[in-house]
Amino acid sequence: MKNKISILIVEDDSFSSTFLVTMLDNSGLPVETITPAASLAEAFEALNTGHYDVILLDLNLPDSRGHDTLTRLTKQFPDKVVIVITGEFDEETGLKAISRGAQDYLLKGKYSIADLAKSIRYSIGRKEAQEAAKRSERVFKTLINNLPQRVVLKDLFSRYQFCNRNFAESLDASIADVLGKTDYDFYPEAAARHNVAVDWEVIQTSKSVEDVLRYDKNGRECITRVLATAVKNEVGTVEGVLCVYEDFTKRVQYEEEIQKANEELQKTNLQLKEMQSQLVQNEKLASIGQLAAGVAHEINNPLGFVSSNFTSLEKYLETFTSLLDAYENAAQQLLRNESQSAKDLIEQIEARREEEQLDFILNDIPGLFADSKEGIRRIIQIVKSLRDFSRIDQPEDFSEFSINQGLQATLMVAQNELKYAVTVETEYADVPDVFCNSGQLNQVFLNILVNAAQAIAEQQRRERGTISIKTYFDETYVSCDIKDDGPGIPEKYLSKIFDPFFTTKPVGQGTGLGLNLSYDIVVNKHKGKLLVDTHEGQGTTFTIRIPRNLDITTEDTRHKEVEHGIQNDLVCR
Amino acid sequence: MESKTILFVDDEERILHSIQRITFKKPFNSLFAGSGPEALKILETRDDVAVLVTDMRMPEMTGLDLLRVCKEKYPDIVRIVLSGYSHITTLLTAINQGEIYRYILKPWESEEELLGSLRDALAHHDELKNRNVPEPVSSEGEE
């Protein structure tokens, strides 16, 4: 209660009014103001303009009589503290007043100053307590109605005593409609029986029971978690069951959706991986295809003239045979001494010789054999070189291999790409064999060589370019420099050249995987190094280093890789 | 009929040899050039060349460039490609830019494959020559 009290006296009898004021003055109450009002209208006016803690109300006023007076006042000002002062000697009137919103009643002439003071104090206190209770109920209702869960309080007979809005809504009814009813009024019988049995278990054991509803009241599938808790009074007797329902249907759905999305993601991931390996495979196939086309062309020429020569040789033989026949014929005629003279016969044969151009044939035969031998030699060499490349696709196929031999084979196979644009200079040291996948290493050589040749060709310069190949070794690595005098790699591209799909070639001409694959082969598969040294406008040198002993250097190389990263492999000046 | 001449161009001399072995008894003359510029030199001095047979990929001057020059300067010469390239783009470029009469692939399967094409080309050359009689001047306009 606040310290000072403002009081409104609604009393038409001025004597009574003055008497009340006198009593209040002597009551010891901390009175702030006392305002008299002689009618209900006056009281309304006062209440509209000022603040009063207590209204002392006479029920019989000139403009309103009896309980109507109180009703009208509390309706207009429901939060005011009203004490009814009535002249009627009637307890019933007083009780009626309290039921209509008055805090207390006093009978005129029957109360002392102390009664008045006590009544005012208690009324104010009671009103405050009521307001507080109302407020907390409002808070409670707001709280309970805004819970996402459905809440219902059941009595010992499983009748709904109280519920929140969500609960009522789940039964397609209003709160007022469901109160007093049971699960039997809403659920299918079997479900209701089950629920009531759960309630009974809670009441019996006074423990909480967790339950899951698989179907809602319409028999639709759902997943609802129910927590039934015993509600006890102060002395611990169970008075009812509080049921809290939480709908997990959506959550389970979400979880399922998330899981599905997750699976989808994993699938996509897998597809991407497959696609990537497919792309790498395509790149391999592309380089094999590129090779095949080049090699086919390389073979076409020698095969063309060898096979043609072979046919020509057949024709030559026909000529020889027919001429031999003619000679034999002549010899026999001469032996039989028949009419024709030897001279005639010889002349005939000479004519045949002329016709068949035997001189050309005889002159040509050594050339034909030389040409054909050369052609066959070339075909054999090309096929031999191809044999090394046929191992590109066998990733585990490691063996002792001389990189000199690999370079020679690669040059042979790549000749078609190289021979019109560049001159190749080689300087092979007597390098030891390394344990490697020769097919893969050859592919690295090929990628770098073809890149160099293409870069040189792109410059469209008059004179041919030069590619210098040098092999050498130290105690750790067998190395190979492939140096070109092409345009060099611009600095802005240098950090990207080993990235997958990075290419500066026109669309459709480069997959952007060649150097990426080379890096993978040298660094990851062989624990070696792939270094670039480039000078714009002067050329590029790629260095391939393959460890002489794969096992020992594995750890070492890995550490270095982590420490320095790929950037260290790139040098640009 | 005076004998006609076919000019073969290839940077692979042994291919030229093998062709010579096929053609030495045939009723036409064969000339051989190891490069595009060499072929053009021959064309400058000879006016009896009826058919040009060229490889596509050659240093100095590609077959395609030779075909273009030949088409421009000697449009009457029937042009044939003899190449190991069977890739469609190479083929299309030769056909569309070189306006060639035949595209023969290396290795040729039989002597007859090559000779047949050469005979057809010579006949085609004859036809073109006969058609080269100036066309009658058509009157312009309808009235």
Side-chain angles (χ1 to χ4, degrees), chain A residues 463-508:
Chain A
E463 77 287 9
R464 295 154 74 85
T466 306
I467 295 179
S468 318
I469 300 172
K470 199 174 117 187
T471 59
Y472 52 97
F473 65 100
D474 54 28
E475 63 272 26
T476 321
Y477 293 107
V478 172
S479 306
C480 163
D481 289 350
I482 298 177
K483 180 182 172 195
D484 69 59
D485 61 351
I489 301 164
E491 198 175 348
K492 59 177 173 176
Y493 294 147
L494 199 60
S495 62
K496 297 181 188 153
I497 57 169
F498 294 124
D499 291 353
F501 309 116
F502 177 77
T503 180
T504 56
K505 292 175 195 167
V507 177

Side-chain angles (χ1 to χ4, degrees), chain A residues 242-259:
Chain A
L242 181 71
C243 296
V244 180
Y245 301 82
E246 196 165 357
D247 194 346
F248 276 76
T249 315
K250 280 212 174 119
R251 199 157 133 185
V252 170
Q253 269 173 7
Y254 288 150
E255 274 169 12
E256 276 170 7
E257 273 167 32
I258 286 170
Q259 183 153 4

Side-chain angles (χ1 to χ4, degrees), chain A residues 422-490:
Chain A
V422 296
T423 308
V424 179
E425 292 166 357
T426 54
E427 188 189 327
Y428 298 125
D430 192 13
V431 297
D433 286 357
V434 285
F435 190 65
C436 66
N437 182 316
S438 57
Q440 289 180 346
L441 275 197
N442 286 342
Q443 195 185 3
V444 174
F445 299 148
L446 183 79
N447 279 336
I448 293 169
L449 283 169
V450 169
N451 277 351
Q454 283 177 348
I456 288 168
E458 253 166 48
Q459 288 181 301
Q460 296 193 321
R461 52 196 196 188
R462 277 245 183 94
E463 77 287 9
R464 295 154 74 85
T466 306
I467 295 179
S468 318
I469 300 172
K470 199 174 117 187
T471 59
Y472 52 97
F473 65 100
D474 54 28
E475 63 272 26
T476 321
Y477 293 107
V478 172
S479 306
C480 163
D481 289 350
I482 298 177
K483 180 182 172 195
D484 69 59
D485 61 351
I489 301 164

Side-chain angles (χ1 to χ4, degrees), chain A residues 344-413:
Chain A
D344 284 347
L345 282 171
I346 300 294
E347 271 171 3
Q348 268 177 28
I349 292 171
E350 289 294 331
R352 279 288 287 284
R353 273 184 71 147
E354 198 66 31
E355 195 191 324
E356 297 283 357
Q357 300 198 29
L358 189 68
D359 292 342
F360 174 89
I361 293 176
L362 289 174
N363 268 330
D364 183 53
I365 281 182
L368 187 150
F369 275 101
D371 281 4
S372 300
K373 267 186 191 165
E374 167 64 15
I376 288 167
R377 190 192 64 78
R378 266 157 61 178
I379 293 169
I380 288 170
Q381 199 155 12
I382 291 165
V383 171
K384 251 186 189 169
S385 307
L386 263 184
R387 215 176 285 150
D388 283 328
F389 278 89
S390 65
R391 281 193 281 182
I392 287 181
D393 251 4
Q394 294 164 19
E396 303 310 325
D397 193 3
F398 274 64
S399 59
E400 296 288 328
F401 182 69
S402 155
I403 66 168
N404 287 351
Q405 198 186 320
L407 284 161
Q408 278 160 359
T410 308
L411 281 174
M412 171 60 66
V413 170

Side-chain angles (χ1 to χ4, degrees), chain A residues 1-7 23-32 53-56 80-84 102-106 111-130:
Chain A
M1 202 194 296
K2 71 178 192 184
N3 293 339
K4 297 253 175 171
I5 312 168
S6 298
I7 301 167
M23 283 181 89
L24 287 169
D25 283 344
N26 295 297
S27 67
L29 286 169
V31 175
E32 169 102 54
D53 300 300
V54 178
I55 302 160
L56 299 173
K80 294 294 175 206
V81 178
V82 181
I83 298 168
V84 169
Q103 292 303 328
D104 201 0
Y105 67 95
L106 294 167
Y111 59 90
S112 62
I113 290 177
D115 289 340
L116 179 65
K118 196 171 117 189
S119 175
I120 288 174
R121 274 211 185 89
Y122 282 14
S123 295
I124 291 173
R126 201 178 298 138
K127 185 71 182 179
E128 273 176 1
Q130 277 177 5

